[in-house]
Structure formats: structure tokens, C-alpha cells
Amino acid sequence: MSTSVSDSVSSRISADPGEALRPAIKDQDLAGLEARFERQGIPAFRARQIFRWLYAKSPASFDEMTNLSREFRVALECEWDLHVMEERRSETSGDGTRKWLFALRDGNLIETVLIPEYGRNTLCISTQVGCAMKCSFCLTGTEGFVRNLSTAEILDQICQVKRGEPERKITNVVLMGMGEPLLNYDAVIRAIRVMSDSAGLGISSRRITLSTVGVLPKLRRLLEDVNVSIAISLHAASNEIRGRLVPLNKKYPIEDLIGACRELSLPARRRITFEYTLIEGVNDALEEADRLARLLHGIPSKVNLIPLNENPGLPYRRPTETRVAEFQSRLRVRGVNAVRRATRGADISAACGQLKGRRETDPVASGSH
Ligand code: SAH
């Protein structure tokens, strides 16, 4: 970690000393930008105008904001950093899923995945470089934690994808890429506000889904701050099994997690999604399905079954198709709305639990996909 910090400082200084000193404009929500402009004697409507430019059009430079005076564009250019990452690579899967690898200013890499489906386009974004949760079946978890993303880095993933795929309207956002969003709470909340702001990305907040392993103090606060949809990475109905998969379960055991879910003040007709990655011989017994049905009884919920995406080097396997179908129907007969999440983008390692970011200086970077 200490090397990565000092590397980051030196690479920034050598790249362009002025650049690192400018604040990122996408770190501001609309109220923040308005306040800043007000202090500088710039009329508040300008903030809204620039916000529209940033998020509706995703320009490559301030110079593209052609309805602003040249003088103002230059002033903005001097004051603010517009993009905080660069596209390094993108790959498209046979099923249309597209994955981008972005390099951050300090050389860290993150991945973002666009999943086109009938009638909608879902973007899966990262909230941290690496992840501290160490879930034993997740590739991102095995890499360890590097750092939080800033609000600008969270939002710029969406802006860059919009720019790369201008004909595709991003209708849904899932915070299901690298990282645990609730451990980067403030930056994530501000990013969600910009996503859902009609002057920002204009994506309705119920079409934004935050997925978490269940950091309880933050989960309890979440719906007071933003009206998003919630997905909980559950993966087992008993502490014995969940504890082996999700280390955080030792701190917040299942009964506390489910208790907190029961107390969430969900908007009308909103359900909690429980993600359940099916792993052969670990959590795919039909008795576990029975326990799960009992556990979720009375919670407005749906269960998303994700047959494990296997990662070489990790000792877990995907159950047979028959077992996945049996597990699903066992839940259904017990009254649980269990759906199977289609695996998308597996051929380009873009599926759940397959994202990894490596620094460009890392010799395995180019061979990792
Ligand atoms: N940290 C958050 C956000 C990541 S979401 C969370 O855990 O919810 C990524 C989802 O994919 C999580 O539900 C995660 O448990 C699941 N996942 C991780 N590795 C996987 C794998 N190898 N196969 C299938 N799903 C996986």
C-alpha cells in the first residue's frame, strides 16, 4: 500500500504538476457547484447549465461547451479537471456485454461493464479499487483493497461509457462492480445524487441498485439519504456457511442483517433483492433453500440466484444445471420469488466476481484477460 501511494504521487507530479492541483468538477453535486460559483460571483444558473453539459453530453473538453463564452470556457479549463480517467481497453463479449478498463490518474485500474438487455441498458460500475471484504469466492476480494474512488471517478465511468456508446441510453446503474459501496459512503451518496438529479444524469433512483455485503450502520442510514434499490449479497441462510464465504458475517451475523432489512423503510412496491451465488457442495443443498425461505418470510423480496462464475485459483465450482434448477424450484414452492441471473460477459471476464484492476506497472496486467 505504501508503495502505491508514493507511486501515485510521483506519477502525478511527473505527468503534469498543474493537473493534479485542479479539483475535479465531477466531485461536485449541483448544490456544491452553485455554492462555489456564488462565491466567485458567477450566476447560479451557470452551474445548472454546466451540469447539463457534463452529464447529458459528456464532452471531452470544456471547449466543446459551445454556448458558453470562450472566456468562460478558458476560465473553467484553468480551474477544473474535467476527466479523471482514461480508457485503456475495451472488449465486447459475444453476448453484447462490453467491458472497459480505465486508468485512474494514479495508475490504478478499474473496470466498468455495460450489459445491454431487451429494452434496457444496465451499467455496472465500481466504487473502490480492489475490495477489503475478502469474500472467498470473489476475484476482486482476493486482490485486496487499494483505495476508495472519488465521486468524480464513480461518475466518470458513466460519462466515458456514454461517450463511447452515444446511441445507447443507460437506463439502469448497478453499483456491483469492484468494491463495497457502503465502505465508501460519502462519495457514493454524492455520486448517486448526481446520477438521479434531473439536471445530472437523470436516472430514476429506483433504477439505481446498490449491492452490499451488509455494512449495517450504513445500510440502516442509506434510504434516509438516497432512494435507491437495495441488493444484499446473502449467499447462505446459516451463519456457519455464510461465515466461510463472507468474512464480514462474523461482525454482522445473518440475524442482525435480516433484522436490519426488516426495518428498512422501503417505498411502496419496492422489494429487496437478495443475491445468492450458488456454489457446488457449499451452499446449494436443498435444506439451505428451505432455511432461506424461512429466513426471508415476510420481507418484500426477490432472490437473485447467480450460478458461480468460476475463477482459476479459487477452490469453488459451479453446481450442475439440474441442481440450480432444483434449488430455484424449491424456493419457488416455498413462496420465494427466485430468479436466475443470466451470466453475461463471462468470455471477457466481465461477469460477477471476475473484475480485477491491476496497476499498469504490474507485469501480469496484459495477461490477465
Ligand atoms: N461488494 C458489493 C458489491 C459487489 S456486487 C457486494 O458484495 O454486494 C458483486 C456481486 O457478485 C456480489 O453479490 C458478489 O457476491 C457476487 N460475486 C462475487 N464473486 C462471484 C462469482 N465468482 N460468481 C458469481 N457471483 C459472484
Side-chain angles (χ1 to χ4, degrees), residues 6 22 31 47 52 60 94 102 122 132 179 202 209 223 249 254 265 280 289 297 312-313 348 352 362 365:
S6 57
R22 283 179 297 168
R52 286 242 167 75
F102 293 114
T122 302
T209 302
L223 291 182
N249 193 71
I254 289 182
S265 35
E280 185 181 70
H297 187 76
I348 55 165
C352 300
D362 192 322

Side-chain angles (χ1 to χ4, degrees), residues 334-348:
R334 302 246 179 288
V336 177
N337 176 6
V339 295
R340 232 189 111 150
R341 182 183 291 174
T343 295
R344 302 287 304 263
D347 54 337
I348 55 165

Side-chain angles (χ1 to χ4, degrees), residues 137-138 176 179-180 211-213 233 235 275 277 308-309 352-353:
F137 55 97
C138 176
M176 292 188 187
E180 168 48 52
S211 176
T212 176
V213 286
S233 291
H235 310 310
E275 293 159 286
T277 297
L308 178 79
N309 296 308
C352 300

Side-chain angles (χ1 to χ4, degrees), residues 203-354:
I203 300 169
S204 145
S205 56
R206 71 195 158 78
R207 291 175 182 272
I208 300 171
T209 302
L210 184 148
S211 176
T212 176
V213 286
V215 184
L216 290 198
K218 295 294 193 304
L219 179 62
R220 292 196 181 100
R221 232 181 94 184
L222 182 63
L223 291 182
E224 288 166 25
D225 290 328
V226 284
N227 186 20
V228 286
S229 295
I230 294 176
I232 305 280
S233 291
L234 190 59
H235 310 310
S238 51
N239 284 318
E240 194 263 312
I241 299 176
R242 190 167 193 261
R244 288 192 329 214
L245 300 174
V246 180
L248 192 74
N249 193 71
K250 298 191 180 73
K251 190 162 180 190
Y252 304 119
I254 289 182
E255 53 283 11
D256 295 357
L257 175 58
I258 296 300
C261 289
R262 286 187 193 280
E263 280 163 24
L264 289 177
S265 35
L266 293 178
R269 293 187 299 281
R270 184 81 59 84
R271 289 177 296 181
I272 302 177
T273 300
F274 289 94
E275 293 159 286
Y276 197 107
T277 297
L278 278 165
I279 308 175
E280 185 181 70
V282 177
N283 63 0
D284 63 344
L286 298 182
E287 299 74 62
E288 201 61 10
D290 296 339
R291 264 196 291 272
L292 183 61
R294 280 197 297 276
L295 187 68
L296 301 185
H297 187 76
I299 302 181
S301 59
K302 87 173 185 203
V303 170
N304 224 327
L305 295 172
I306 319 167
L308 178 79
N309 296 308
E310 295 182 7
N311 285 302
L314 299 183
Y316 296 113
R317 296 292 155 252
R318 173 187 289 210
T320 60
E321 276 302 306
T322 318
R323 175 40 61 103
V324 174
E326 282 168 353
F327 197 92
Q328 181 179 17
S329 51
R330 186 72 161 236
L331 286 172
R332 288 196 160 167
V333 294
R334 302 246 179 288
V336 177
N337 176 6
V339 295
R340 232 189 111 150
R341 182 183 291 174
T343 295
R344 302 287 304 263
D347 54 337
I348 55 165
S349 295
C352 300
Q354 295 190 313

